[in-house]
């Protein structure tokens, strides 16, 4: 009972609010529809439970559902792990010598004004979570949380199990419709010898396979196939080493690639389910500096400032996601992202760092009086609301589709 009470704490109950978001609602809805329809189709119309194969099939369907939901909720509620507020690098860890005090480490790290702390290696600040996330990969809307140090394994397993479960469910849907419609429709396949014993059930199913059942099965099949393709692609992207950096006329060696896939695999997946390390200090590849990545990120920021272009707001913008008054093309090409839109007023200045054909992304240049209360205002805004400042008129255009330094 003590262990149970230690898990069910007030802080954990607050995490339940993550379910109140379009991402988890859609994801759990798809899981519920596919698993429920697969079980109903299997028991009633395809593979009855009184057969050995039917029993094994039903157990497998339940197994897929339990494993998918377990890893999904683990990824959502365990969370990625956050850098402690006010964190400072006290030690520089060396894997060949003893740990030594080094006050110079902070010069290699970025400082987060929101968390009032230095960003640990591999960590980034998430605007959605409003915290610096350890080993941040991305903020996933489907779990309404970040994918990072603590939940990386659970999130990856969810991406692997969801397509496998959907493939099994899709097979049940196809076979159910085929067996039930076999005696009603003629496809001209009279010479094909297929064992249709599963379709000739005795006694007959409790509920006939009518139009409503056919429509529900077809709908579930579409969801299963769509999930298999979409989540399967995400799994392959997640499984790859996604090293995001700029090549600034030099060769960059990713310091956290330990040289073999097996060693990298063991950093994430363990028998205990708890990832190795503490999320702040990481083993590095031989010959690399402990802060190689953070030094590269500082170079990226400096390069980004050089590439940024200053614009002046010539028309007000309310900050709506899809503004109708900014033109049809601007309306239909609104960025498909949860990144914010910023409200603009005529006469303000903004520093654009990247953009699309009809949209720009940048930071609003704030007055000194506003800077004391607000650290940063950045987001998307329509191109036709701004014009390039005369001082930047002769410079290059703002980079199109430039990757964000998270």
């Amino acid at each position: 009972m003590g262990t149970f009470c230690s898990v069910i704490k007030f802080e954990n109950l607050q995490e339940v609010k993550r379910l109140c978001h379009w991402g988890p609602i859609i994801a759990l809805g798809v899981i519920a529809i596919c698993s429920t329809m697969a079980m109903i189709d299997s028991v009633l119309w395809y593979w009855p439970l009184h057969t050995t194969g039917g029993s094994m099939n039903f157990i497998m369907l339940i197994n897929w559902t339990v494993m998918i939901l377990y890893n999904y909720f683990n990824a959502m509620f365990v969370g990625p792990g956050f850098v402690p507020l006010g964190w400072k690098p006290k030690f520089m860890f060396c894997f060949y010598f003893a740990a030594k005090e080094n006050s110079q480490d902070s010069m290699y790290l970025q400082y987060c004004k929101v968390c009032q702390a230095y960003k640990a290696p591999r960590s980034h600040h998430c605007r959605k979570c409003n915290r610096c996330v350890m080993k941040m990969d991305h903020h996933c809307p489907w779990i309404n949380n970040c994918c990072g140090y603590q939940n990386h394994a659970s999130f990856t397993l969810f991406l692997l199990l969801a397509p496998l479960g959907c493939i099994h469910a899709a097979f049940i849907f196809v076979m159910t419709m085929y067996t039930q419609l076999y005696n009603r429709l003629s496809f001209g396949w009279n010479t094909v010898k297929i064992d249709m014993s599963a379709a000739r059930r005795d006694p007959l199913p409790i509920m006939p396979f009518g139009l409503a059942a056919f429509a529900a099965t077809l709908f579930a099949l579409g969801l299963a196939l769509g999930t298999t393709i979409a989540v399967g692609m995400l799994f392959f992207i997640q499984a790859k080493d996604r090293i995001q950096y700029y090549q600034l006329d030099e060769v960059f060696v990713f310091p956290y690639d330990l040289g073999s896939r097996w060693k990298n695999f063991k950093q994430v997946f363990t028998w205990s389910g708890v990832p190795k390390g503490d999320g702040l200090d990481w083993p590095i590849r031989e010959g690399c500096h402990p802060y190689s990545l953070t030094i590269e990120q500082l170079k990226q920021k400096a390069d980004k400032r050089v590439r940024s272009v200053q614009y002046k707001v010539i028309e007000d913008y309310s900050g709506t996601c899809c503004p109708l008054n900014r033109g049809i093309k601007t309306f239909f090409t609104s960025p498909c992202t949860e990144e914010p839109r910023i409200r603009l007023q005529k006469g303000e200045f903004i520093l654009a760092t990247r953009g699309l054909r009809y949209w720009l992304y940048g930071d609003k240049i704030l007055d000194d009086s506003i800077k004391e209360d607000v650290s940063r205002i950045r987001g998307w805004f329509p191109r036709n609301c701004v014009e390039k400042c005369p001082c930047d008129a002769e410079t290059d255009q703002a980079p199109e589709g430039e990757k964000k330094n998270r």
Side-chain angles (χ1 to χ4, degrees):
M1 179 62 72
T3 304
F4 179 78
C5 293
S6 66
V7 174
I8 307 300
K9 297 187 296 185
F10 177 76
E11 291 84 356
N12 294 334
L13 291 177
Q14 290 290 345
E15 292 291 312
V16 177
K17 294 189 297 184
R18 293 190 181 277
L19 293 169
C20 302
H21 183 263
W22 63 265
I25 291 174
I26 294 176
L28 292 174
V30 171
I31 295 172
I33 292 173
C34 290
S35 59
T36 303
M37 283 304 303
M39 293 178 190
I40 291 175
D41 283 3
S42 179
V43 172
L44 290 182
W45 299 302
Y46 176 57
W47 218 338
L49 284 176
H50 62 76
T51 63
T52 304
S55 300
M56 294 295 294
N57 176 66
F58 189 75
I59 292 173
M60 281 299 298
L61 288 173
I62 294 178
N63 184 53
W64 288 125
T65 304
V66 171
M67 290 194 300
I68 289 170
L69 289 177
Y70 173 78
N71 285 285
Y72 179 83
F73 287 125
N74 244 11
M76 178 187 291
F77 294 131
V78 170
F82 301 106
V83 177
L85 296 174
W87 181 82
K88 296 179 181 179
K90 295 182 180 179
F91 298 97
M92 186 176 92
F93 288 88
C94 181
F95 290 88
Y96 302 100
F97 305 98
K100 296 181 179 180
E101 186 91 18
N102 193 337
S103 59
Q104 303 266 335
D105 287 2
S106 58
M107 66 181 292
Y108 298 115
L109 300 176
Q110 301 179 62
Y111 187 79
C112 179
K113 295 180 181 179
V114 178
C115 298
Q116 296 293 306
Y118 286 94
K119 295 181 181 180
R122 307 185 80 175
S123 67
H124 299 276
H125 185 84
C126 175
R127 292 190 297 274
K128 290 290 182 180
C129 299
N130 202 32
R131 287 289 300 274
C132 285
V133 178
M134 294 190 292
K135 193 192 172 187
M136 179 178 176
D137 187 273
H138 68 289
H139 185 93
C140 178
W142 304 111
I143 62 174
N144 195 21
N145 207 340
C146 280
C147 173
Y149 163 68
Q150 290 184 351
N151 63 353
H152 193 179
S154 297
F155 184 76
T156 304
L157 287 174
F158 165 72
L159 295 183
L160 172 64
L161 295 171
L164 294 178
C166 286
I167 290 173
H168 186 185
F171 173 79
I172 298 297
F173 299 145
V174 170
M175 293 306 297
T176 299
M177 291 187 291
Y178 181 71
T179 54
Q180 292 300 314
L181 299 177
Y182 183 81
N183 294 325
R184 306 182 192 184
L185 300 176
S186 174
F187 297 98
W189 298 342
N190 297 329
T191 59
V192 180
K193 302 296 183 181
I194 301 176
D195 182 12
M196 299 302 298
S197 58
R200 298 188 291 271
R201 296 183 52 171
D202 189 21
L204 294 175
I206 301 173
M207 183 185 302
F209 189 78
L211 182 61
F214 174 76
T217 302
L218 194 62
F219 177 70
L221 176 62
L223 289 180
L225 294 177
T227 302
T228 301
I229 296 172
V231 180
M233 291 175 62
L234 287 176
F235 171 74
F236 282 108
I237 293 173
Q238 188 73 19
K240 290 179 62 179
D241 293 331
R242 297 196 299 163
I243 305 170
Q244 296 183 358
Y245 56 89
Y246 299 147
Q247 291 288 357
L248 300 177
D249 299 326
E250 60 185 43
V251 177
F252 177 76
V253 178
F254 191 66
Y256 305 111
D257 181 1
L258 300 182
S260 73
R261 293 183 178 181
W262 176 242
K263 290 181 181 179
N264 295 336
F265 179 86
K266 290 193 296 184
Q267 289 295 313
V268 178
F269 298 93
T270 59
W271 288 110
S272 63
V274 179
K276 289 185 177 181
D278 59 359
L280 299 173
D281 299 284
W282 302 91
I284 59 173
R285 189 169 187 160
E286 186 176 355
C288 290
H289 190 276
Y291 298 114
S292 294
L293 184 62
T294 55
I295 293 172
E296 177 70 19
Q297 290 169 343
L298 290 173
K299 291 180 180 178
Q300 291 179 18
K301 282 202 167 184
D303 182 65
K304 202 172 188 178
R305 284 192 291 270
V306 172
R307 293 171 180 267
S308 59
V309 180
Q310 185 171 330
Y311 287 85
K312 182 179 180 180
V313 180
I314 57 175
E315 294 185 25
D316 293 346
Y317 168 56
S318 62
T320 55
C321 182
C322 300
L324 283 170
N325 60 340
R326 305 314 312 169
I328 297 297
K329 293 181 178 179
T330 302
F331 176 82
F332 284 107
T333 58
S334 179
C336 297
T337 173
E338 286 194 327
E339 290 176 319
R341 276 64 171 168
I342 54 175
R343 182 176 297 179
L344 302 178
Q345 292 183 350
K346 188 176 180 179
E348 292 180 330
F349 293 91
I350 193 162
L351 204 60
T353 55
R354 56 192 170 98
L356 303 173
R357 186 172 182 180
Y358 297 102
W359 290 80
L360 288 171
Y361 184 93
D363 294 76
K364 188 181 292 188
I365 300 176
L366 304 174
D367 297 332
D368 294 336
S369 58
I370 302 177
K371 284 184 179 179
E372 297 178 358
D373 301 326
V374 181
S375 60
R376 200 172 185 183
I377 300 177
R378 58 178 174 174
W380 291 95
F381 55 92
R383 276 184 182 266
N384 54 16
C385 289
V386 297
E387 67 176 6
K388 191 176 295 185
C389 292
C391 57
D392 289 322
E394 297 180 358
T395 61
D396 295 333
Q397 294 290 329
E400 297 285 340
E402 179 180 286
K403 286 185 179 179
K404 179 182 67 170
N405 178 20
R406 288 181 297 191

